[in-house]
Amino acid sequence: MAPSDPREVRAALDAALEAQAMLDGVEPVKKSSGNLQSENERLRAALSRMAFRPLVGGVRSVGHATYVLGVPGAWGLDEAVIQARYRFLASIFHPDSGLIPDSERLRQLNDARSILLRHLAEE
């Protein structure tokens, strides 16, 4: 499961960007007050590329819901895991306060959470 602490997410993104820069033969960005804005934009872009792509037609199945929430499958999930994952991703995609404001992604997160919670209740 992905880290839920924003500092862990940032450290993972930093490591991914540094590794990609090395593969590209580019000097990794050095942290200084002058380029923090640029680094934040790069991290947002990397996060956006790694995030789920909204599904055409919306979330319609348990499989779609697990994809949107980024969990390996419905087996072994419980309400606490679903809610924690939803809150983490909603904080990223919320149109008013997220790192990557995206109302369509948030709408699909809401649908995915509802589908998985309903699936758990039926079991």
Side-chain angles (χ1 to χ4, degrees):
M1 179 162 288
S4 59
D5 181 352
R7 290 173 294 206
E8 291 177 28
V9 173
R10 185 174 181 91
L13 287 171
D14 281 340
L17 286 172
E18 187 171 325
Q20 186 62 51
M22 289 177 15
L23 288 173
D24 293 342
V26 176
E27 186 67 29
V29 173
K30 302 293 183 211
K31 293 180 182 164
S32 71
S33 60
N35 67 6
L36 285 178
Q37 182 67 27
S38 172
E39 181 183 1
N40 282 339
E41 289 304 315
R42 286 173 31 119
L43 289 171
R44 278 190 184 97
L47 182 58
S48 183
R49 285 191 306 271
M50 293 184 332
F52 75 92
R53 300 286 179 247
L55 298 169
V56 175
V59 181
R60 295 182 306 241
S61 69
V62 171
H64 288 163
T66 58
Y67 163 76
V68 167
L69 284 176
V71 293
W75 187 84
L77 284 180
D78 63 16
E79 185 174 343
V81 170
I82 294 167
Q83 296 289 23
R85 188 71 181 153
Y86 168 80
R87 280 191 301 275
F88 173 70
L89 292 171
S91 71
I92 293 171
F93 298 117
H94 196 281
D96 296 331
S97 59
L99 293 171
I100 305 170
D102 190 326
S103 59
E104 180 59 25
R105 282 181 172 155
L106 186 62
R107 187 174 14 266
Q108 289 195 8
L109 283 170
N110 288 327
D111 293 345
R113 178 180 62 172
S114 296
I115 287 172
L116 287 177
L117 291 175
R118 199 169 37 243
H119 176 72
L120 286 177
E122 292 171 357
E123 288 185 337

